Amino acid sequence: MPRTDTVIIGAGHAGLAMSRCLADREVPHVVLDRGRLGERWRTARWDSFRLLTPNWLSRLPGWTYRGPEPDGFMSADEFVRYLASYARSFDAPVVPHTPVTRGGSTGAGFAVHTAQGVWTARRVVIATGYHSCAHVPRQAAGLAHDVAQLTASGYRSPRSLPDGGALVVGASASGVQIAYELARAGRPVILAVGRHTRMPRRYRDRDILWWLDRMGKLDRTIDEAPDAGSALAEPSLQLAGMEDEQPVDLAALQEIGVRLAGRLRRLDGTTAEFDGDLSATVGAARRRLARVLAEIDQYAASRPRAGFGPPDPPPDVPVPDMPSRIDLRRAGVTGVVWATGYRPWYPWLSLPVLDDCGRIRHRRGVTDVPGLYAIGLRFQYRRSSSLVDGARHDAAYLADHMHRLAVPR
Ligand SMILES: Cc1cc2nc3c(=O)[nH]c(=O)nc-3n(C[C@H](O)[C@H](O)[C@H](O)COP(=O)(O)OP(=O)(O)OC[C@H]3O[C@@H](n4cnc5c(N)ncnc54)[C@H](O)[C@@H]3O)c2cc1C
């Protein structure tokens, strides 16, 4: 039975960040992954995928982007290579192709069961990803069997769908990017729009994430959020990392022929019913965006010598008249893409740390079970916690927490 001090489960960026912080503190550990390092970037992203965060915003403990395009956006393959170089830089003890099938307590520590054997450890860090399972809403069950359906993590390219039109459900980062790609491939697209967070790619001559980072918005903690529940439910930014910095917001999508509908309420065979909330949803996103841009303007005004560009707010989104009920077959729709978010999933975990929604109960990644930690959770502490750039803070915090509690071996 192999034994180590700490088992990290998951070799995505969060598991590797944790590994680096433990290595810096000379804590013996392993990083187990069911597949290869960065497995989700290899197998759960579409072919044309690019990160929506600029390359410079991929800082990891002891590692930054040093390539030729700090303001560019890595493809999934490039990001895997970025992670692999990072792992090599400190000889990360990654054990690939080792799915964890059960994780439980031994009384004195943990037993981590894998297909290859059982690891025992004093501590376990769960780094299996907050976006581990594509969420499919219950409406999917009502769809006619001859209409194809797949999730954003199963979508690869327009060829993933039969010839014809598509209904894309969900207008956050994945949904707008997939709708854009399908429309550019000449497919008729209907996009069902729910609550979303609109952001321009650039504002006042800078990338929007430059502003959010510089103004400390990504560092806002869960303790500062007026309502932790809504902070956790915040939709992802409606952004894409296109090489030509093409916007993918609802105005731009309509310009290339995407038809917008409200939130999908019901599917019955080939009949799709939508809520009449598009105008309200678009209006709410516009108001939230206006508040962010006003804060940027205020920040820029307080630094008059910085030479920022003039305010250039994005155009309003026209709200079309769409029927609340559409016959998908008559509209030529042959496939549905569910871009309706992701959920964490821990089917192997046999410790009582999950809440009613299946999320890990924790405080800054420290669970109620002594020695059990998690990293990469949404708003684990900072708003950036589930972004690549945010893991460094949480990994350092957890490593320090473990160090403080360390008993002499
Ligand atoms: C479509 C999409 C786009 C995103 N784009 C960006 C972006 O542009 N910029 C950004 O900063 N963030 C982005 N994110 C958010 C976030 O950075 C990613 O979700 C990131 O992959 C999370 O990293 P992680 O290390 O926490 O988890 P993951 O990368 O998901 O890694 C978890 C690892 O755990 C392994 N694993 C899972 N279960 C087991 C098991 N039972 N046993 C062993 N191993 C297991 C998996 O194989 C995987 O390698 C995006 C998320 C999604 C879904």
Side-chain angles (χ1 to χ4, degrees), residues 8-16 32-41 43-46 49-54 57-58 73-74 79 83 95 97-102 113-114 126-132 152-153 173-174 177 209 241 342 345-348 375-377 384-391:
I8 300 170
I9 307 173
H13 79 268
L16 293 175
L32 310 180
D33 202 287
R34 68 191 161 105
R36 295 154 294 172
L37 167 158
E39 184 64 27
R40 285 224 170 79
W41 299 97
T43 53
R45 304 286 181 265
W46 50 94
F49 177 90
R50 286 191 173 270
L51 265 75
L52 59 81
T53 42
L57 197 66
S58 300
F73 304 94
M74 278 182 262
F79 189 65
L83 290 183
V95 186
H97 306 295
T98 307
V100 170
T101 50
R102 189 153 59 86
H113 297 250
T114 76
I126 301 170
T128 50
Y130 197 80
H131 303 98
S132 46
S153 48
S174 300
Q177 292 181 45
L209 287 163
Y342 300 82
W345 194 44
Y346 312 100
W348 48 270
I375 187 162
L377 306 179
S384 61
S385 282
S386 58
L387 293 178
V388 173
D389 200 64

Side-chain angles (χ1 to χ4, degrees), residues 49-351:
F49 177 90
R50 286 191 173 270
L51 265 75
L52 59 81
T53 42
N55 296 337
W56 60 266
L57 197 66
S58 300
R59 294 165 290 202
L60 291 163
W63 195 251
T64 52
Y65 177 86
R66 292 190 193 89
E69 291 183 68
D71 298 320
F73 304 94
M74 278 182 262
S75 67
D77 283 353
E78 286 166 340
F79 189 65
V80 169
R81 288 201 289 277
Y82 180 77
L83 290 183
S85 310
Y86 180 50
R88 272 197 305 277
S89 74
F90 63 96
D91 212 4
V94 175
V95 186
H97 306 295
T98 307
V100 170
T101 50
R102 189 153 59 86
S105 165
T106 59
F110 299 93
V112 179
H113 297 250
T114 76
Q116 280 73 26
V118 184
W119 282 84
T120 55
R122 286 203 310 153
R123 292 182 278 239
V124 165
V125 183
I126 301 170
T128 50
Y130 197 80
H131 303 98
S132 46
C133 188
H135 169 66
V136 179
R138 58 185 164 67
Q139 288 95 321
L143 184 66
H145 293 303
D146 60 343
V147 180
Q149 48 175 322
L150 78 179
T151 63
S153 48
Y155 172 86
R156 290 288 161 273
S157 74
R159 284 194 304 277
S160 304
L161 293 170
D163 285 346
L167 166 65
V168 178
V169 186
S172 285
S174 300
V176 292
Q177 292 181 45
I178 292 171
Y180 179 84
E181 176 166 275
L182 287 166
R184 289 291 296 265
R187 306 290 193 104
V189 178
I190 300 169
L191 178 63
V193 179
R195 189 164 167 265
H196 57 273
T197 306
R198 187 178 184 203
M199 287 285 149
R201 179 74 265 176
R202 293 181 74 79
Y203 186 63
R204 300 185 75 141
D205 282 349
R206 305 278 170 139
D207 192 278
I208 191 72
L209 287 163
W210 183 89
W211 289 109
L212 299 185
D213 180 63
R214 188 53 66 96
M215 290 160 55
K217 297 286 240 180
L218 301 176
D219 282 335
R220 266 187 63 204
T221 71
I222 193 75
D223 296 339
E224 294 166 273
D227 172 6
S230 340
L232 281 169
E234 235 175 59
S236 65
L237 305 181
Q238 207 182 55
L239 273 183
M242 306 272 187
E243 274 172 301
D244 55 4
E245 293 185 347
Q246 193 65 33
V248 287
D249 64 11
L250 301 182
L253 288 176
Q254 289 185 88
E255 275 169 27
I256 58 166
V258 174
R259 295 165 72 199
L260 305 187
R263 198 182 165 81
L264 180 72
R265 186 192 318 144
R266 188 160 167 260
L267 278 174
D268 184 3
T270 60
T271 305
E273 285 176 21
F274 302 92
D275 286 334
D277 59 351
L278 185 58
S279 178
T281 314
V282 165
R286 187 183 56 236
R287 286 190 294 280
R288 285 197 297 274
L289 170 64
R291 282 200 291 274
V292 175
L293 299 186
E295 283 183 55
I296 294 177
D297 291 341
Q298 218 176 3
Y299 179 89
S302 66
R303 288 156 182 81
R305 285 209 293 270
F308 298 130
D312 50 348
D316 273 350
V317 172
V319 179
D321 257 346
M322 264 293 257
S324 60
R325 178 187 288 230
I326 294 179
D327 185 286
L328 297 178
R329 194 167 285 139
R330 253 190 252 140
V333 170
T334 54
V336 175
V337 181
W338 299 103
T340 33
Y342 300 82
R343 302 281 185 274
W345 194 44
Y346 312 100
W348 48 270
L349 184 60
S350 44
L351 289 161

